[in-house]
Amino acid sequence: MNDPRAKEPRNHGPQVGRSVPRKETHAKLTGTAAYVHHLVLPGMLHGKVARSRVAHARIRGIDTRAASALEGVYRVLTAADVGKLIPDPHYGPAFHDQPILAIDKVRFAGEPVALVLAYDPHVAQAAAALIEVDYEPLPAVYDEVEAMTSKAVVHEVLKPAGTFPDLKHLAGKRDTNIALDYHLERGDPAKAFAQAAHVFEHTFKTQQVLHLPLEPFVSLADPADERLTIHTASQSPSFVRIEIARLLGWPENRVRVQVPFLGGGFGAKLYIKLEALVAAAALIVRRPVKIALTMEEQFYTITKHAATLRIKSGVDSAGRIVARECEVWWNGGAYADIGPRVTQKSGFTAPGPYDIDNVSIASYALYTNLPPAGALRGFGIPQLVWAYESQADMIARAIGMDPLEFRRKNILREGRPQATGTPMRDAAIGQVLERLAQRMQWQAPFDRGSGTVRRGRGMAIGFKASISPTTSVAIVNVSADGSCHLLCSTVDMGQASDTAMAQIAAEVLGMPAERIAVVHPDTDVTPYDMATLGSRSTYHMGHAVKRAAEDARDKLLALAGELGVPPETTPIPDLFKKKYGMQAGNVIGMGSFVPAYAPTDHATGQSSNVTPYWMIGATGVEIEVDTETGVVTVTRMINVADAGKAINPAVVDTQLSGAAIMQLGFTLTEQMHFSEGQVTNPSLADYKIPGMLDLPAVIENEAVEANEQAGPFGAKGVGESGTFGVSPAIANAIEDAVGVRLTSLPITAEAVYRALRKAAGRPLDDE
Amino acid sequence: MKTIRFELNGEPVTAQVEPHHNVVELLQTMGLRGARESCGQGLCGCCTVLVDGLAVSGCLYFAAQLDGARVDTIERTEREGELDVVQQAFAECGAFQCGFCTPGFVLMTRQLLAHNPAPSEDEIRHYLSGNLCRCATYPEIIRAVQLAARIRKAGA
């Protein structure tokens, strides 16, 4: 994407570290930006999904007669139709467990059972409601801890996809809901607990929430010319191509995946969502098919793991944590999606950014009969930070130590080994903590309110490893007039990656970022990228782009040498003119990147190099609690992060506050409610996301002065860091204000009010 | 099917509409992309359009009701070539991320400033509380509205 109206700065200077206006500014402000949402192809059919109304059942039969008979219906498809095209129609990034349409069985309420195709989407919708399914109900399991031992089993047999080595041992396992058990052992926790001066054990819970991008999931497949083109709102075009090609038994080059802008992603639009269904439908009817979900249907597509977290800490008489035991149960819902990676990749950071010699972690991915859970802005980290940073304050309070002092005493310092054994490197944990404390004026007197409005403050700090090892490839194409295309499959879903990547290429090529047009993902044209997820793009794709630009620059210099002209001073257009006799030709640079990685040991969870970089995020809040209603108002929120060197400081600031406000919703108001596995609040009317009136009066963000030595121009990821500390900072502030401790999310006014009544010895009648 | 006539961004147009078609569906068949259906319940503001000068939710407004109306969408500025004061302020403040909700915010901000040229921060928050931004670009949007108000005042 390039903004032809953007004026190039006259003296452009360094491009990295400059708050370059986003390339898509004009397109987004005038409503002309391209989203799949708007895409229409000639002869296109609309697909509407008929969904399961029960959580767990055998399918005795599907009656599609009334739907098929409705005037205007083109075709009704079930698993039987899909199976003729794709003999094994199961997909998924970690397990091949999810059928394109339900086969013989449904595993959650909302699961796609049939698809109606019609030229008019209203007709398709009406017909979908006429599909009758005869179910034989099965016992269901909803709770992640119960799923460990439940007689209700969601999948008869485990089917790991084969892509992740640490899942291979699960192949063929039967009668279990455990989709991955990850263990880490370090030191001698039993001995350390026995010797500890204090031992604390608490259990924390987080609720199921979801991403809710304002552009709901949408995909369109076009089967023209014996190949398949999929236009899709996806964060992972390369994965879509590979997975669809695998399902069809085709070579990758028969599948083309194109992605324009996304109207939000947050981890929802990853791997396969609608793409397999839309591809199968289009190939069966040999016409373009578009499926655009409604807001309601997003609640049945992908969510964030609810989790139960038990954390036990041994502390010595000086306030040092000497041992920690963490058990985490992740509620993955009916299909694994990327849940097992959340279980492992986040699991190993469960003890927090603390220097603890004796650690034991067990992290379990569990199948239940709820809508599937995957990655949501933080990949499990916000759930873990909720537990360990809530407990940090509970311990500090119990041993009479200031919470800031307790953290200072225990945080992981540079060079010290993290629980996996990997030494911390370029992880500004101490700096982030100190900057937060300074901004909060932690040592200064604090107004605690009076009467029915009590004030408190709290802080929390978390950290995250990058998903690893993953690959990015980029191409820089210099045209004869000196303008430049950057081809990469990073998806711009609002995080300004087009702009940041152009800045990196421009820095190398010595030109303003405005001169570089970024080609949006098109797998026929843009090279492979693992996906836009986990705050990996700036580092991984950033490296690939830098290398591609360096390759192009070196070729331009070589061309100057070949032509016998001064390499540094000859304008690029003159090189091409001299070489080809006119404005013609290209210089193409290529770069790829995959970081070094040492896999974790299956028995001990240890690794010498578990991540290419660490992300650090901390949040401090000042709050008011209305003791008559339980309403919590965040009056000031401070988000501090280590993002390495900021490529675009304005964008980094926006990423930090955007992530923190999103997490504020997950902390105070958002929760999927269920009745027998059915979501009872699947709309924005009943599921409350933050709006203007929910903002803290003051929001401050800071990316500390830091440098990731291994990063492109010192940069690393920042898209999730703002989420880490929000929830426990608020719970800590509530205890500071009114002396009650909340251990389950969300912290609704009702939850606070109930806790206040209980603490006063006057619990509500229903407790 | 009914034939309706209305003024769209200053041009007279006619359209054939079914009774159940909403304004967003109609505008999209006319090639306009700015108003988008998201929540489908009039709660998010992504589908905002101006009908006879008043902001309405295009997902809840029947297309047939546009007969004889004056309709303005975000595309009006694009036709006129230059970004208006509100859009310039949004650009300056980086007041968008994924961009899906942005046209709705721009239109509501225009309406706010037309009624209240110097809104307080509290008034801005209340006026725009019916527009949702899942990327949570709210702090930047508040700053953009304040900047737009200052530019308007300086230009008046």
Side-chain angles (χ1 to χ4, degrees), chain A residues 5 22 24-26 28-35 37-38 120 122 210-216 262-264 266 294-295 377 493-494 653-655 657-658 661-662 666 670 683-685 687 689-693 695-697 699, chain B residues 20-21 25 28 32-39 41 43-44 46 74-75 77-78 81 83 87 90-91 94 96-103 105-106 121 124-126 128-129 131-143:
Chain A
R5 294 158 196 265
R22 289 163 189 258
E24 63 279 13
T25 295
H26 193 273
K28 285 189 175 172
L29 286 173
T30 54
T32 53
Y35 303 90
H37 180 81
H38 297 113
D120 182 336
H122 298 282
L210 78 166
H211 316 68
L212 278 185
L214 290 184
E215 176 200 37
L262 260 58
F266 316 113
T294 61
M295 187 58 77
R377 207 167 195 170
M493 50 191 179
D653 199 87
T654 296
Q655 282 289 298
S657 65
I661 295 166
M662 191 171 200
F666 298 149
E670 295 183 40
S683 80
L684 280 181
Y687 180 96
I689 68 170
M692 281 270 181
L693 295 174
L695 293 194
I699 299 178
Chain B
H20 60 275
H21 283 162
E25 288 175 282
Q28 292 195 349
L32 300 189
R33 296 172 167 181
R36 295 107 193 218
E37 183 159 329
S38 175
C39 74
Q41 293 179 303
L43 298 167
C44 69
C46 289
I74 194 73
E75 283 85 359
T77 20
E78 173 61 8
L83 297 184
Q87 288 163 314
F90 271 62
F96 62 89
Q97 291 184 67
C98 83
F100 209 72
C101 67
T102 308
F105 271 103
V106 168
E121 185 174 330
I124 294 169
R125 288 186 186 222
H126 275 89
L128 298 181
S129 64
N131 290 72
L132 296 174
C133 171
R134 189 53 159 166
C135 307
T137 324
Y138 299 120
E140 292 82 355
I141 292 171
I142 293 170
R143 287 199 285 278

Side-chain angles (χ1 to χ4, degrees), chain A residues 74-296:
Chain A
Y74 187 87
R75 182 83 186 264
V76 180
L77 302 176
T78 66
D81 303 291
V82 173
K84 286 176 206 152
L85 176 75
I86 304 170
D88 182 6
H90 292 88
Y91 62 86
F95 287 75
H96 290 158
D97 60 357
Q98 191 155 3
I100 292 175
L101 290 169
I103 301 170
D104 301 334
K105 191 175 161 177
V106 291
R107 297 181 175 86
F108 71 97
E111 177 163 6
V113 173
L115 181 73
V116 180
L117 300 173
Y119 289 110
D120 182 336
H122 298 282
V123 170
Q125 186 72 65
L130 298 175
I131 291 172
E132 289 295 334
V133 185
D134 183 13
Y135 294 113
E136 176 192 332
L138 295 168
V141 60
Y142 307 119
D143 180 86
E144 61 273 11
V145 180
E146 281 171 27
M148 292 285 291
T149 52
S150 166
K151 285 207 176 71
V153 174
V154 183
H155 292 268
E156 289 73 18
V157 60
L158 299 185
K159 296 194 290 183
T163 36
F164 299 110
D166 60 325
L167 300 180
K168 280 185 182 151
H169 69 286
L170 297 167
K173 265 197 154 179
R174 303 192 74 88
D175 298 325
T176 178
N177 291 318
I178 304 174
L180 176 67
D181 53 320
Y182 168 77
H183 298 277
L184 182 149
E185 290 293 333
R186 184 172 183 76
D188 188 345
K191 191 172 152 200
F193 276 116
Q195 292 171 353
H198 316 273
V199 175
F200 301 90
E201 184 171 342
H202 301 101
T203 298
F204 301 89
K205 289 186 87 70
T206 71
Q207 80 285 31
Q208 195 169 7
V209 296
L210 78 166
H211 316 68
L212 278 185
L214 290 184
E215 176 200 37
F217 297 89
V218 54
S219 301
L220 196 168
D222 178 9
D225 303 328
E226 291 307 306
R227 58 202 305 261
L228 190 66
T229 301
I230 303 175
H231 306 269
T232 181
S234 169
Q235 296 173 230
S236 50
S238 301
F239 181 90
V240 170
R241 174 165 83 163
I242 289 172
E243 188 73 341
I244 297 298
R246 179 188 70 80
L247 285 166
L248 295 170
W250 288 6
E252 277 192 56
N253 67 5
R254 265 181 86 186
V255 180
R256 178 182 193 178
V257 181
Q258 292 183 282
V259 180
F261 285 115
L262 260 58
F266 316 113
K269 296 171 177 173
L270 278 169
Y271 311 111
I272 296 290
K273 291 297 175 286
L274 296 173
E275 291 88 354
L277 178 57
V278 85
L283 288 170
I284 290 168
V285 299
R286 311 201 63 75
R287 269 179 171 63
V289 171
K290 182 177 186 178
I291 303 177
L293 296 193
T294 61
M295 187 58 77
E296 177 188 341

Side-chain angles (χ1 to χ4, degrees), chain A residues 453-477:
Chain A
V453 177
R454 299 297 170 133
R455 302 185 74 244
R457 58 187 178 157
M459 61 166 63
I461 184 166
F463 77 142
K464 179 178 187 286
S466 173
I467 189 162
S468 190
T470 63
T471 300
S472 291
V473 185
I475 293 171
V476 164
N477 181 354

